[in-house]
Amino acid sequence: MKFIHTADLHLDSPFQGLQNDSLPEQLWQQIRQSTFQSFERIVDEAINQQVDFVLLVGDLFDRNEQSVAATAFLTEQLNRLRDHQIDAFISFGNHDYATIDSPHLGYPDNTHIFSNQVETKRITLTDGTVVAISGFSFPNQWVKQPMIQDYPEAVANADWHIGMLHGSLDSLKSSEANYAPFTLQALKSKRYDYWALGHIHKRQSLDDQGVINYSGNIQGRQINESGEKGYLLIQSNGHQLRTTFEPTAPIIWQRLKMSTNQVLLNDLTGKILEYLSKQHFSQLHFVRVQIDAKQSLNREVIAAISNGDLLELVQQQNAMSWQQLNCWVTSIQLLPSKHIVAHQFDQELFDQAKGQTLTIPQLSNLAKVFNQYPFIKEDLASKASQKDIFDQTTLIMAENIQNVNEDGVDQ
């Protein structure tokens, strides 16, 4: 048995954290096609690897109302699988939730859609192996009940039993409880041979045997979705399963830390571009440059980083060289430093103010205004976003202290 586990395609998804007016048009075209291109590569691999079936575990689309182009593209790729006698099993998630009233939902007959209630489908492979696959599709955006309780235990009349679940490994009291929460023990209690999970965009295995896996999304869309993205290839050897990650994303997001002693704005701009040229990227990267200053920077540089002026200067030159560099700078960040403030007394006050101000409860209280926007609320709940907010606030606080130190008054 050989199959592909993929999830969170987010076809037609916008990229986040980009300066729209600075991007060259050709680069925009590559961004728009990136999720499509990644999935097309997955289908290519399914055909080349001659897999028995493909599992697509939720959020195939970025929203429940899909564009004509995205729907046509998915149908085209499913038809390609059909032409090579490869079955596809689909469960819809919280982004592309749907009321399921047909086992195929208008897709080709090799495509099996899970209903809104947990059900088990069976497939017999060419060598006679019987595989049972259990799953369900989200009927709406929020599925707060632990659907795992409706999954049957592994059936006796199948050689393999696989579970598909778009949801979160989390407690019922967390923000993730909106997404079919489950516990690791609950998964293991079903005695399945493999769990294909979706919803979490970071690829990870939840067990030592590597058979309870999030495949991650197929194309990073922001800096908090950095690193290579793709699919998991699962192959049997006797009654053991081996899982291998295969990259397919045409664009990689990455953080690059750059140490520097440069204190002048123009010097720093050149230093960043020189640093990028030394990376020798073999494919397109979207980069956040993290500046690790070896000495306190002056007010002009700190202000240029916090207000985006330095990024604008870098992108003006990057626009002419991104193809040669295989790189686009999406953001510039000054890393917090113990010596971000010039004077020791100011540093002590600065650290005290940070400790009182930059806390999770403070952020949660301020973020209540965004509760009516689920996608913002979800993003603000992530540790990576919280850290970015705290780092940016630290930079603004440091800039204000520099204003006082250099001018004697707060400007």
Side-chain angles (χ1 to χ4, degrees):
M1 178 182 66
K2 184 191 296 187
F3 66 93
I4 280 176
H5 165 201
T6 187
D8 299 284
L9 280 57
H10 288 277
L11 298 175
D12 248 358
S13 173
F15 275 38
Q16 302 170 17
L18 299 176
Q19 297 289 338
N20 297 0
D21 56 346
S22 303
L23 280 164
E25 178 60 29
Q26 189 176 351
L27 186 55
W28 259 124
Q29 293 300 327
Q30 293 194 35
I31 292 170
R32 292 189 187 102
Q33 293 301 316
S34 60
T35 53
F36 297 93
Q37 186 176 352
S38 186
F39 184 60
E40 187 171 9
R41 289 175 177 176
I42 292 173
V43 173
D44 289 343
E45 287 297 300
I47 295 169
N48 293 336
Q49 293 277 355
Q50 297 181 319
V51 302
D52 296 300
F53 53 90
V54 175
L55 307 181
L56 296 99
V57 195
D59 289 357
L60 283 66
F61 303 101
D62 196 56
R63 47 197 174 274
N64 68 318
E65 295 181 359
Q66 298 90 40
S67 69
V68 173
T71 303
F73 170 80
L74 179 62
T75 301
E76 177 187 357
Q77 299 309 310
L78 294 172
N79 279 325
R80 291 180 63 210
L81 293 175
R82 181 200 58 193
D83 293 342
H84 289 82
Q85 293 77 52
I86 298 172
D87 285 76
F89 293 84
I90 292 177
S91 62
F92 291 109
N94 58 294
H95 276 263
D96 55 1
Y97 57 91
T99 300
I100 308 301
D101 54 11
S102 166
H104 299 291
L105 211 64
Y107 292 117
D109 57 11
N110 70 316
T111 305
H112 312 279
I113 310 293
F114 284 94
S115 70
N116 298 130
Q117 302 298 321
V118 175
E119 60 177 328
T120 300
K121 299 177 182 291
R122 285 175 170 79
I123 180 175
T124 301
L125 308 185
T126 54
D127 64 356
T129 298
V130 177
V131 182
I133 304 173
S134 298
F136 81 100
S137 292
F138 275 52
N140 48 59
Q141 187 174 9
W142 314 116
V143 176
K144 298 184 179 181
Q145 66 269 33
M147 296 294 291
I148 182 62
Q149 63 191 9
D150 296 336
Y151 281 70
E153 290 190 8
V155 296
N157 57 349
D159 299 292
W160 301 91
H161 200 136
I162 297 169
M164 294 174 62
L165 176 56
H166 191 89
S168 299
L169 175 67
D170 218 320
S171 69
L172 298 181
K173 295 182 180 179
S174 77
S175 60
E176 290 297 322
N178 291 315
Y179 308 111
F182 59 85
T183 65
L184 185 56
Q185 183 56 42
L187 296 185
K188 291 181 176 179
S189 70
K190 303 300 179 179
R191 298 183 293 109
Y192 288 7
D193 298 292
Y194 187 86
W195 276 101
L197 304 176
H199 179 61
I200 302 302
H201 290 184
K202 180 181 179 181
R203 183 178 70 258
Q204 55 194 291
S205 183
L206 303 184
D207 71 321
D208 294 336
Q209 291 72 40
V211 293
I212 304 177
N213 297 319
Y214 280 108
S215 60
N217 55 342
I218 66 170
Q219 170 60 68
R221 304 166 303 156
Q222 55 166 302
I223 191 60
N224 292 331
E225 297 176 355
S226 58
E228 290 187 316
K229 302 287 185 176
Y231 70 92
L232 296 177
L233 178 66
I234 298 88
Q235 302 179 73
S236 64
N237 181 11
H239 206 74
Q240 300 294 318
L241 295 178
R242 179 168 59 89
T243 302
T244 307
F245 167 71
E246 300 292 343
T248 56
I251 301 174
I252 296 177
W253 289 75
Q254 183 176 338
R255 292 176 173 87
L256 285 180
K257 183 186 293 187
M258 187 187 81
S259 299
T260 182
N261 292 317
Q262 301 291 342
V263 294
L264 298 178
L265 188 57
N266 289 337
D267 291 342
L268 190 53
T269 301
K271 183 78 172 180
I272 290 173
L273 290 165
E274 179 185 357
Y275 179 69
L276 294 174
S277 69
K278 294 179 180 178
Q279 302 307 308
H280 304 296
F281 292 124
S282 60
Q283 70 178 97
L284 183 58
H285 278 61
F286 281 0
V287 170
R288 168 176 288 177
V289 176
Q290 297 178 307
I291 297 176
D292 184 13
K294 296 304 182 182
Q295 56 181 299
S296 297
L297 301 178
N298 62 36
R299 183 178 67 183
E300 180 190 18
V301 173
I302 294 177
I305 296 173
S306 64
N307 65 24
D309 285 349
L310 178 58
L311 178 62
E312 184 177 354
L313 289 172
V314 170
Q315 286 184 336
Q316 285 174 359
Q317 297 188 45
N318 198 182
M320 297 180 288
S321 61
W322 70 269
Q323 290 171 306
Q324 291 76 24
L325 296 174
N326 242 340
C327 170
W328 178 257
V329 179
T330 64
S331 58
I332 298 175
Q333 178 184 44
L334 178 61
L335 293 176
S337 168
K338 293 182 179 180
H339 307 291
I340 198 169
V341 182
H343 303 291
Q344 182 178 356
F345 178 71
D346 288 337
Q347 185 68 56
E348 292 174 356
L349 293 177
F350 182 79
D351 292 340
Q352 182 180 0
K354 277 184 62 178
Q356 295 174 351
T357 307
L358 304 186
T359 65
I360 299 298
Q362 288 273 27
L363 177 60
S364 298
N365 185 56
L366 292 172
K368 286 180 180 179
V369 67
F370 298 113
N371 284 351
Q372 59 182 312
Y373 305 104
F375 67 99
I376 298 179
K377 181 180 178 181
E378 182 180 344
D379 184 62
L380 289 176
S382 73
K383 292 181 180 179
S385 293
Q386 291 168 357
K387 183 179 184 303
D388 285 344
I389 291 171
F390 289 160
D391 287 347
Q392 183 66 19
T393 305
T394 298
L395 181 58
I396 295 172
M397 291 169 64
E399 180 188 352
N400 289 336
I401 290 177
Q402 289 279 30
N403 290 347
V404 174
N405 284 341
E406 296 182 17
D407 294 343
V409 292
D410 190 3
Q411 297 181 343

